[in-house]
Amino acid sequence: MSRTVTVGVDGSRESLAAADWAAEEAARRAVPLRLLQVWSTDDDPRTRVVDPVTARGWGERVLATAESRLRRCHPSLDVGTEQAAGDPVEALCAAGDKAELLVLGSRGLSGLAGFFAGSVSLAVLARTRGPVVLVRPSDRPTRDEDGPAGEVVVGLDVSAPGDEVLGFGFAEADRYGCDLRVLHTWALPALYGPDLGATVPLLTSELAQDARRALDEALAPWTQKYPGVRVVRECHQGWPARDLAEASRDARLVVVGRRNRRARIGTHIGAVTHAVVHHSLAPVAVVPHD
């Protein structure tokens, strides 16, 4: 892995917003920014929109324009460009596997709150081995001198917390100098037995205590490592995706995990992460973990 922030650029409004966010992030991390544009080598006349030479020339102009703009905004930032030929998912996954962070643009849902993550973004999220951040056009970064702009929110499953997820969230909150809100939402088991009415209150209290204890245990090593990060703990019964979408209203970044496992058919990002990706009002970082 190289210490770079890589962003996919295709000239769209979404990718330019992602490039702006990535530039701020690279500057905050003190690492180079790499702009990547992928052009297709498809030679099938039935599916080819433009010829490869035209596509490559257009991509070069897109990169040059984006690079020039970012250099003006961040004169001290090391900005580089690269073109790759082939399948966009494979090229972006390869870039993400080598980078410290991969940033992609995502389209806002017209008339609804949240993202529209297309097939390329979802495929990259499911396959890359490194963190990926999705940014939509309205997610404009706030410069440090303008003061804080919300907190970092981490959605945590205490049954499989994943050091990578918590590590990413704490490090981001530390860089931003903002609060870290760690949200764990738990649900009652589907069945309790024949005496449902007498069992539920006691069981609910026990589950709440167990969940809070597990949350405290998962956070303990990270609060010691990042003593300057103020942690807000939320642990309650509910629906994880809905609660994270609601928490995203006041967040500057939402962090969720994705288990490194393959299903019988393909690779998936998980139901909660999928929902958060589509409905978060803030940029979403998807962090793979074991």
Side-chain angles (χ1 to χ4, degrees):
M1 177 185 296
S2 61
R3 293 216 64 203
T4 61
V5 172
T6 297
V7 56
V9 178
D10 61 8
S12 67
R13 180 168 168 257
E14 294 79 21
S15 74
L16 294 179
D20 288 341
W21 192 95
E24 292 283 350
E25 185 70 12
R28 189 172 289 110
R29 292 174 179 240
V31 300
L33 175 66
R34 176 182 172 215
L35 308 178
L36 174 64
Q37 195 273 330
V38 183
W39 58 280
S40 176
T41 57
D42 186 1
D43 292 326
D44 189 338
R46 296 170 298 179
T47 58
R48 188 175 61 209
V49 178
V50 296
D51 65 272
V53 174
T54 301
R56 184 168 186 173
W58 174 82
E60 290 174 349
R61 290 191 294 274
V62 166
L63 285 175
T65 300
E67 179 186 16
S68 176
R69 183 170 61 86
L70 291 175
R71 286 187 183 279
R72 289 197 304 271
C73 296
H74 305 273
S76 61
L77 182 62
D78 181 358
V79 182
T81 64
E82 180 179 342
Q83 277 193 309
D87 178 77
V89 173
E90 293 182 0
L92 289 168
C93 284
D97 290 343
K98 293 186 293 183
E100 189 169 294
L101 184 66
L102 176 65
V103 183
L104 301 176
S106 186
R107 182 158 57 88
L109 291 169
S110 178
L112 296 172
F115 290 146
F116 174 80
S119 59
V120 171
S121 295
L122 290 177
V124 172
L125 289 176
R127 292 171 51 183
T128 188
R129 293 192 295 268
V132 180
V133 175
L134 291 183
V135 180
R136 62 178 183 169
S138 59
D139 297 325
R140 292 298 182 183
T142 299
R143 296 183 182 276
D144 291 341
E145 61 265 30
D146 293 336
E151 58 196 1
V152 173
V153 174
V154 173
L156 191 67
D157 178 1
V158 296
S159 65
D163 285 344
E164 298 88 344
V165 179
L166 283 173
F168 187 94
F170 269 90
E172 286 296 282
D174 187 53
R175 292 188 190 99
Y176 286 127
C178 68
D179 291 352
L180 177 69
R181 182 174 298 274
V182 181
L183 175 61
H184 170 60
T185 304
W186 54 272
L188 290 170
L191 298 174
Y192 304 101
D195 192 8
L196 180 63
T199 306
V200 170
L202 178 60
L203 181 59
T204 300
S205 177
E206 291 176 349
L207 287 174
Q209 293 177 20
D210 290 344
R212 180 68 186 216
R213 188 179 305 112
L215 178 61
D216 290 341
E217 291 175 356
L219 292 176
W222 295 102
T223 55
Q224 293 177 8
K225 183 175 181 180
Y226 292 93
V229 174
R230 179 176 177 268
V231 180
V232 179
R233 305 163 196 240
E234 279 194 38
C235 184
H236 58 255
Q237 181 184 356
W239 300 95
R242 183 185 63 189
D243 292 345
L244 284 168
E246 182 63 28
S248 74
R249 294 179 180 276
D250 299 318
R252 63 189 306 161
L253 180 68
V254 175
V255 182
V256 290
R258 192 263 296 167
R259 294 289 296 273
N260 283 319
R261 61 185 178 187
R262 293 190 65 85
R264 287 183 297 176
I265 303 177
T267 305
H268 303 280
I269 65 174
V272 173
T273 296
H274 189 278
V276 172
V277 161
H278 280 280
H279 297 292
S280 173
L281 294 175
V284 178
V286 179
V287 182
H289 66 95
D290 295 329

